[in-house]
Amino acid sequence: MFMTISTTGTQERPATDLGFLLHKHPDRKQSFSTSHGTAHVLYPEASAERCTAALLLEVDPVALVRRGKGKGRGGSPDLALAQYVNDRPYAASSLLAVALSTVFKSALHGVCNARPERAEQPMPLRIEVPALPARGGAELVRELFAPLGWSTVEAVPVPLDAQFPEWGDSRYVQLTLEGELRLSDALRHLYVLLPVLDDSKHYWVSPDEVDKLLRAGEGWLAAHPGQKLITTRYLSRRWGLTRQATERLAVSLHNLARLADADDIAVEEIDNAVAQETETEERPTPLAEQRREAILGALRAAGAGRVLDLGCGQGQLVQALLKDAKFTEIVGVDVSVRALTIASRRLKLDRMGERQAERVSLLQGSLTYTDKRLTGYDAAVLSEVIEHLDLPRLPALEYAVFGSARPRTVIVTTPNVEYNVRWETLPAGHVRHGDHRFEWTREQFRDWAAKVAERHGYGVEFEPVGPDDPEVGPPTQMAVFTMVAPEEKNTENVKEAKVA
């Protein structure tokens, strides 16, 4: 994991002042221990005209695995291959952001006793990060850095394999930033945006992360056009923390005081300018919450006690199921180790009482393969899962769930593509999530569900989730499959024979 910071100068204002600002002498190579390896600072070039400081982070893969396991029930699966085969030692991520804050702590805060005037002044900077994970692509990199005063934001996609260009680009870019900025501002941009672009953190996001974000984002985050995405990703989609950060980024008392002073009125008059009723307006229930309520209602109606959440993600539905004692056994299954780790932390499995812990378990597994551990349950839920599979893989999932596991009830939810025209922020022709392989119309979903039910001996009913638009239907469509008893199937066959 590697990055460089370069600047230019003159004999009067030498570029080697960079060493004072970073508190690292250009004539020495220095090493620092971090929680996941060793950080090295060295200077490939150091002259009055040009100076470059390089930060090299050597990640200890053993420490990475050990620290990533956690303790107790909340730890991630010990034998997960993803713990040993990943990009963490090579790609800029939260590991590098933490190393920045550790090694360049004083520079990050703009402290330089030897050259205080230089710390406060913009200087020509060039920052290069050879391998930056960018979930959202090169365009998102430019959208995040360009509003921050960088004159050049170059994000060149890294091909999957230069020998095989037809394979396309990877999710990594080679980043180059150039501009006249204070060094402390540049470092704070990187500290926040590296983990945001990677969309992952190597440590548990606790409430104090809000303070870290606001300190590093002071002066630029509140007005950034991508503020919502930045706060959401930096705080690992912990909605409570994101809401807290957003509220604290709103108009501050300092801004109110300045406005009051300019208009020669009292601060209270500005502060009360917003009508009180706006704070008591009823906010619409999020679609995800409506979806969970619909699923819980269907499970209760089916009399299910032992429930599988297939593709459980970060455990929101599992958490909701645990609140109802009627659900005596809940199993969350997901192929993603990271998702299961987040789910275990969300559920606080390591601190859960023994009786409650006996009701829930998290399993790693692929839904396109049969799994004997999943047989014998009352119900299974596939909530917003099928659209993440390539269409040729759907028959494998169908057999694994309906043919092998065969719960009495199966609940499937998926987006209704017809409703997409009602999302003002969704460009025409785009799916709702970058990982969706398809999104079906109501007719396509009903046709698929009917054929699945017929092949495996289930009946199926359909329910809308969310506002049921008279023209395009609901935003989410839900199918509830119920296993048909053998005698019922025979009766239906007899009826069909008589009709024939």
Side-chain angles (χ1 to χ4, degrees):
M1 200 181 299
F2 183 74
M3 67 169 287
T4 59
I5 304 170
S6 302
T7 189
T8 55
T10 63
Q11 292 297 329
E12 294 75 25
R13 304 191 67 174
T16 48
D17 280 353
L18 180 64
F20 289 103
L21 299 178
L22 292 174
H23 295 257
K24 304 294 179 288
H25 199 289
D27 291 340
R28 294 199 301 270
K29 179 183 80 68
Q30 300 179 58
S31 300
F32 305 85
S33 294
T34 71
S35 57
H36 290 85
T38 304
H40 306 279
V41 178
L42 57 149
Y43 288 77
E45 54 182 340
S47 66
E49 292 74 27
R50 183 174 176 84
C51 184
T52 297
L55 175 63
L56 172 65
L57 178 60
E58 287 187 298
V59 175
D60 180 356
V62 176
L64 189 63
V65 171
R66 285 176 177 169
R67 291 181 178 271
K69 284 183 180 181
K71 297 180 180 179
R73 298 188 191 96
S76 55
D78 292 350
L79 299 179
L81 183 62
Q83 290 193 19
Y84 298 92
V85 183
N86 57 61
D87 64 354
R88 299 300 85 179
Y90 314 105
S93 64
S94 59
L95 288 166
L96 185 58
V98 170
L100 274 175
S101 67
T102 302
V103 177
F104 299 140
K105 183 177 181 179
S106 297
L108 194 71
H109 292 97
V111 176
C112 181
N113 295 329
R115 297 285 192 277
E117 74 288 347
R118 288 288 267 158
E120 290 299 319
Q121 295 171 350
M123 59 193 302
L125 292 173
R126 178 183 174 91
I127 294 177
E128 296 179 82
V129 183
L132 172 65
R135 294 187 186 274
E139 186 58 35
L140 179 61
V141 177
R142 287 186 282 269
E143 289 176 4
L144 294 184
F145 279 102
L148 300 177
W150 295 97
S151 58
T152 299
V153 180
E154 186 177 311
V156 180
V158 177
L160 280 172
D161 193 320
Q163 300 280 342
F164 301 94
E166 65 273 14
W167 289 1
D169 295 327
S170 67
R171 70 181 184 95
Y172 305 92
V173 299
Q174 182 175 347
L175 174 66
T176 303
L177 303 171
E178 290 185 344
E180 291 261 348
L181 287 88
R182 294 190 308 173
L183 179 63
S184 60
D185 291 336
L187 293 176
R188 289 190 294 123
H189 297 167
L190 292 168
Y191 176 75
V192 172
L193 296 181
L194 289 181
V196 166
L197 286 164
D198 185 30
D199 198 13
S200 176
K201 282 198 170 182
H202 67 280
Y203 57 88
W204 172 239
V205 174
S206 57
D208 65 350
E209 288 294 296
V210 175
D211 295 324
K212 293 180 185 178
L213 172 62
L214 298 185
R215 282 197 299 269
E218 185 179 357
W220 63 270
L221 181 55
H224 197 292
Q227 179 207 113
K228 182 177 180 181
L229 180 142
I230 293 170
T231 54
T232 300
R233 286 193 177 188
Y234 185 88
L235 297 169
S236 296
R237 292 179 172 78
R238 293 195 62 189
W239 305 120
L241 299 183
T242 302
R243 185 168 55 251
Q244 180 184 339
T246 302
E247 290 171 354
R248 290 173 60 181
L249 283 168
V251 181
S252 66
L253 183 60
H254 174 67
N255 289 334
L256 289 173
R258 287 198 304 169
L259 288 171
D261 184 60
D263 294 338
D264 195 24
I265 58 177
V267 171
E268 291 76 11
E269 291 182 46
I270 299 178
D271 206 20
N272 292 333
V274 180
Q276 290 185 358
E277 59 266 25
T278 58
E279 295 192 10
T280 59
E281 286 179 358
E282 198 170 310
R283 297 181 180 180
T285 305
L287 181 58
E289 188 175 329
Q290 295 181 57
R291 191 160 48 236
R292 282 194 294 274
E293 287 303 316
I295 293 169
L296 291 170
L299 290 171
R300 293 183 184 115
R306 303 176 67 232
V307 179
L308 296 168
D309 182 7
L310 304 177
C312 66
Q314 298 180 12
Q316 292 92 333
L317 179 59
V318 174
Q319 188 176 44
L321 289 165
L322 274 171
K323 294 177 181 178
D324 191 334
K326 293 178 183 176
F327 302 113
T328 56
E329 184 179 352
I330 304 145
V331 178
V333 182
D334 205 284
V335 72
S336 168
V337 176
R338 178 171 176 263
L340 291 174
T341 301
I342 295 173
S344 69
R345 289 168 175 166
R346 174 190 294 277
L347 300 170
K348 298 181 175 64
L349 293 184
D350 55 338
R351 287 176 277 170
M352 189 177 286
E354 186 174 345
R355 181 174 297 181
Q356 188 80 330
E358 288 176 351
R359 294 175 57 209
V360 62
S361 57
L362 300 176
L363 304 176
Q364 185 187 18
S366 171
L367 303 183
T368 55
Y369 295 92
T370 59
D371 191 335
K372 293 181 179 179
R373 298 176 297 175
L374 308 183
T375 59
Y377 285 84
D378 299 330
V381 178
L382 290 158
S383 180
E384 310 300 286
V385 170
I386 61 172
E387 64 273 9
H388 290 272
L389 272 69
D390 293 315
L391 283 169
R393 301 285 289 168
L394 268 185
L397 177 141
E398 174 192 331
Y399 179 75
V401 175
F402 294 90
S404 176
R406 292 193 64 76
R408 291 203 314 267
T409 301
V410 180
I411 298 171
V412 180
T413 72
T414 192
N416 168 23
V417 71
E418 297 170 76
Y419 192 88
N420 286 0
V421 296
R422 297 292 188 257
W423 299 114
E424 296 180 359
T425 58
L426 186 65
H430 283 60
V431 293
R432 296 184 199 175
H433 190 282
D435 191 50
H436 286 185
R437 303 301 198 265
F438 64 88
E439 288 179 355
W440 275 335
T441 64
R442 287 168 290 173
E443 182 181 355
Q444 289 172 316
F445 181 54
R446 287 171 179 263
D447 180 62
W448 173 81
K451 290 177 180 176
V452 169
E454 183 180 0
R455 280 193 288 266
H456 299 284
Y458 285 80
V460 61
E461 296 180 355
F462 301 90
E463 297 180 21
V465 179
D468 198 354
D469 189 286
E471 295 181 4
V472 298
T476 295
Q477 42 193 342
M478 181 169 78
V480 180
F481 297 82
T482 305
M483 187 180 291
V484 178
E487 57 270 18
E488 293 180 29
K489 290 179 65 178
N490 292 337
T491 303
E492 289 176 1
N493 292 337
V494 170
K495 287 180 180 178
E496 291 176 2
K498 286 181 178 178
V499 170

